[in-house]
Amino acid sequence: MRRTHRTLVIVIVLAAASSISGLGAPADDVTFAGQAGPPEEPLSLWYRQPAGQWVEALAIGNGRLGGMVFGGVGQERIQLNEDTLWAGGPYEPNNPEALVALPEARRLIFEGKYREADRLIGSKMMAKPLQQMPYQLVGDLILSFPEEKSVKAYRRDLDLDTAIARVTYASGGATFTREVFASPVDQVIAMRISADRPGRVSFTAGLWTPQKAAVSAEPPDTLVMRGVNAPARGIAGALRFEARVRVRAEGGEISIEGETISARGADSATILIAMATSYKSFKDVGGDPGAVTTAQLAAAGRKPYEALRKDHVAEHRRLFRRVALDLGTTEAARRPTDERIREFANSQDPQLAALYFQFGRYLLISSSRPGCQPANLQGLWNESMSPPWDSKYTININTEMNYWPAEPCNLAECVEPLVGMVMDLTETGARTAKVHWGARGWVTHHNTDLWRAAAPIDGPAWGFWPTGGAWLCQHLWEHYAFGGDREFLARVYPAMKGAALFFLDTLVEEPAHRWLVTCPSLSPENPHPGGVSVCAGPAMDMQILRDLFSNTIRAAEILGVDAALRGELAATRARLAPDRIGAAGQLQEWLEDWDMKAPDIHHRHVSHLYGLFPSAQITVRGTPDLAAAVRKSLEIRGDNATGWGIGWRLNLWARLQDAEHAYKILTMLIGTERTYPNLFDAHPPFQIDGNFGGTSGIAEMLLQSHAGEIEILPALPKAWPKGSVTGLRARGGFEVDLSWEEGRLTTCTVRSLSGNRCRLRHGSASREQDLPKGEVLRWDGR
Ligand code: FUC
């Protein structure tokens, strides 16, 4: 549905779009007239003005290549990323001094001398260098268009169903359209610039980068940027990279001027961008980015634009269309996305929640396809040489949160890059386990990077946490729990076993109860009343290890291996410190009842609540006392937090099955404080985990499957009285479609993918039956 153009005139003077080009581009100083209506596809982000800031630009990606599309009229900027362009090269961060200090650090902690322990750990037991390598950018493609004084009906949008960003406007009697997408099929970013009148397409294309690189033109139609990556923290850059841009015009002329290419008087033009680095693996940088980009550009160049577009859309839809969500729609849905975000908390706009949900799925498809790097703190999209927290992998919550929606939201193959990273870490983390802890198996602390560094970084308050790898292993098990792929389990079992062996070797007995605990460790980033974070046996570690040991035992049983190890793991599991309820009725974060005395009781992390979500050790029906303690802890902590902190709270309230509280948290997430105009999550600054936590949380409100049964509409808020969802996945190998009216289930359809017994619950009603593979069960919840 297109809104008829109104005569109302809005005037927006844009800030100069960019000061970086040096391409003689006119700054956008354009009058915007004649309001554009919404795009036809309701799953679109759209705006009536170009992006002024990076967090207004629209993200495209094929898992490996990323682009941020600004949509300026006089100047288009497409900020470019390639997911292996990080600083540094293969390096060894392990510190041989660490192991010598380990017994003393443990003694100090068990004697309650936490500050002394912190000092010792800080001086002797951290990685060298103390920080890892940052993720960086390729640069910008800048297109300078002829000067425009005034344009009409300007609109830019991102259609989530086609994964195509678009800019349209009218000027001088012609309507101009730009389309841009990152093709997972042809491994290029493709852009088409067209006008509905012949001969009207003219522009100059150039490349800019802050990297050490040179741009040159290769006749007749190609720009090439060749560079080397940056050093960081004393580690030399070891990568070469190349970006190649080809401009093709239909009609008109193409010419090369210096390091730019111009199209003049064309009917339309197609721009193809290929990018690659010499990265082959965390220990091999011997790739040939020139050969790769040349071949990719040649292959893509042989296909007509329409064929590139068609293949891209089909591949995107193969994943994207597996899940459809309808929460109802209102007039608000016809407004531009930035306005809707501003008003979400006070408007009736259920479709924005559905859009946010699908945007999270879109982001995962766009930043984490098989064969690529996993989604980092910013997914794939980064415009800085020194981004916040280096845009790495923070494993004490952020990386895991990125992957929470993958299995339930039917994007299981998007986990593959994470699995690949875990398998790499079994190698680098084995060195760290040996050098830092004198242990078998492998370990990863709270961060890693492209080079899979596994040693503790930053400082003891953040980095001295040995449980990161164990948490990542949860995703290996969940992939099996949802998909039932025995071959996959056999492939990843060595990683689970190795993670478990590390803890068999490093758990120590604490003096008070003789429980087995991690030490030194910490409850992620939260200082306790001892004034520092380092401690023994925080609740989160114990919960993660219960999962790791249980999953490893189950996997070994399924695969019929390691009988003796199973026994050892079960015996050790039984001796881990249990979850405990403190004097305030809260779930204790530490071995001691410190929660109410901790310096920051509203801390953003809620690590000890891992047991409720993402784990299933605590459930509302199975362990009601512990679930009540989690609720108490959440109340004490408060609702407000960083973007991901709110995302985690959303999932927790959904698991507590408190629909209205979950919804309240969702309104905090989808509001201007935690969501930028382009729907990116605001920590702030931009961090993508909150997007994924939000998508996962909405799924958890509609369907849960962690407690041995599929629970339908466990946390449906009043704001969504009528709706439907298709294609959600449940553990045990099921795909579920639901619809509801007046807040009550009308139909539920369960498809069996693995032939397991199916247990359903809706409120107090339940149903249980065998469901052979391929068969479908329909239930109305009564
Ligand atoms: C953890 C969090 C911070 C931030 C960083 C990337 O350290 O505590 O809030 O998200 O990761």
Side-chain angles (χ1 to χ4, degrees), residues 414-433:
C414 294
V415 183
E416 187 55 36
L418 184 74
V419 174
M421 184 168 84
V422 173
M423 299 316 278
D424 291 350
L425 284 166
T426 63
E427 261 184 82
T428 54
R431 280 283 297 153
T432 305

Side-chain angles (χ1 to χ4, degrees), residues 43 160 325-328 340 344 349-360 666 670 698 720:
L43 285 178
L160 302 186
L325 173 63
D326 179 4
L327 297 174
R340 294 171 73 186
F344 183 65
D349 193 0
Q351 202 269 344
L352 185 59
L355 185 70
Y356 191 92
F357 170 85
Q358 291 289 25
F359 186 59
L666 185 65
I670 310 178
I698 292 168
W720 304 336

Side-chain angles (χ1 to χ4, degrees), residues 643-679:
W644 62 259
I646 289 177
W648 199 346
R649 284 157 174 78
L650 171 66
N651 285 271
L652 288 161
W653 283 106
R655 279 277 170 97
L656 288 175
Q657 308 196 343
D658 187 328
E660 297 314 316
H661 205 122
Y663 186 74
K664 181 198 160 202
I665 304 267
L666 185 65
T667 63
M668 294 169 70
L669 188 63
I670 310 178
T672 45
E673 283 186 22
R674 294 292 175 266
T675 297
Y676 290 110
N678 66 358
L679 273 195

Side-chain angles (χ1 to χ4, degrees), residues 377 388-389 394 396-398 446-447 458 462 524-525 603-605 642 644 683 687 689:
L377 285 173
W389 293 284
T394 303
N396 63 19
I397 174 61
N398 317 88
H446 94 306
N447 263 260
D458 291 349
W462 307 276
E525 306 190 23
H603 201 263
R604 60 195 180 284
H605 285 261
T642 55
W644 62 259
H683 178 290
Q687 211 170 277
D689 38 25

Side-chain angles (χ1 to χ4, degrees), residues 344-589:
F344 183 65
N346 302 314
S347 64
Q348 295 279 318
D349 193 0
Q351 202 269 344
L352 185 59
L355 185 70
Y356 191 92
F357 170 85
Q358 291 289 25
F359 186 59
R361 294 186 65 248
Y362 168 88
L363 290 175
L364 196 61
I365 295 169
S366 305
S367 65
S368 188
R369 278 178 172 271
C372 304
Q373 293 301 311
N376 63 44
L377 285 173
Q378 298 187 177
L380 173 64
W381 300 278
N382 165 40
E383 67 163 342
S384 171
M385 293 292 276
S386 50
W389 293 284
D390 298 327
S391 195
K392 300 191 298 281
Y393 301 101
T394 303
I395 304 169
N396 63 19
I397 174 61
N398 317 88
T399 301
E400 288 86 354
M401 185 175 285
N402 284 1
Y403 288 90
W404 287 351
E407 306 287 346
C409 299
N410 219 330
L411 296 173
E413 51 274 83
C414 294
V415 183
E416 187 55 36
L418 184 74
V419 174
M421 184 168 84
V422 173
M423 299 316 278
D424 291 350
L425 284 166
T426 63
E427 261 184 82
T428 54
R431 280 283 297 153
T432 305
K434 195 164 170 218
V435 175
H436 279 249
W437 295 84
R440 293 174 297 168
W442 64 281
V443 64
T444 301
H445 296 79
H446 94 306
N447 263 260
T448 192
D449 60 12
L450 182 73
W451 311 107
R452 308 317 189 215
I457 62 156
D458 291 349
W462 307 276
F464 215 87
W465 182 69
T467 326
W471 191 354
L472 288 177
C473 286
Q474 185 69 5
H475 290 259
L476 307 179
W477 176 256
E478 288 281 51
H479 191 73
Y480 175 77
F482 277 87
D485 180 349
R486 200 173 175 279
E487 268 173 43
F488 170 82
L489 191 65
R491 174 159 75 89
V492 299
Y493 174 72
M496 296 166 69
K497 177 178 170 179
L501 287 176
F502 172 81
F503 289 98
L504 286 183
D505 285 3
T506 58
L507 287 169
V508 288
E509 212 174 68
E510 53 83 38
H513 309 86
R514 310 197 57 195
W515 290 324
L516 290 178
V517 295
T518 47
C519 182
S521 186
L522 47 83
S523 190
E525 306 190 23
N526 199 7
H528 55 69
V532 295
S533 303
V534 293
C535 66
M540 177 186 234
D541 282 6
M542 300 294 99
Q543 295 168 356
I544 289 176
L545 294 189
R546 275 193 285 277
D547 277 346
L548 175 67
F549 291 173
S550 297
N551 298 340
T552 307
I553 292 168
R554 273 298 288 142
E557 282 166 4
I558 292 162
L559 300 170
V561 295
D562 289 334
L565 177 70
R566 279 181 242 160
E568 201 184 341
L569 289 174
T572 308
R573 187 185 191 281
R575 293 192 56 204
L576 293 170
D579 277 326
R580 289 201 295 167
I581 299 173
Q586 91 288 6
L587 192 75
Q588 272 182 219
E589 181 159 358

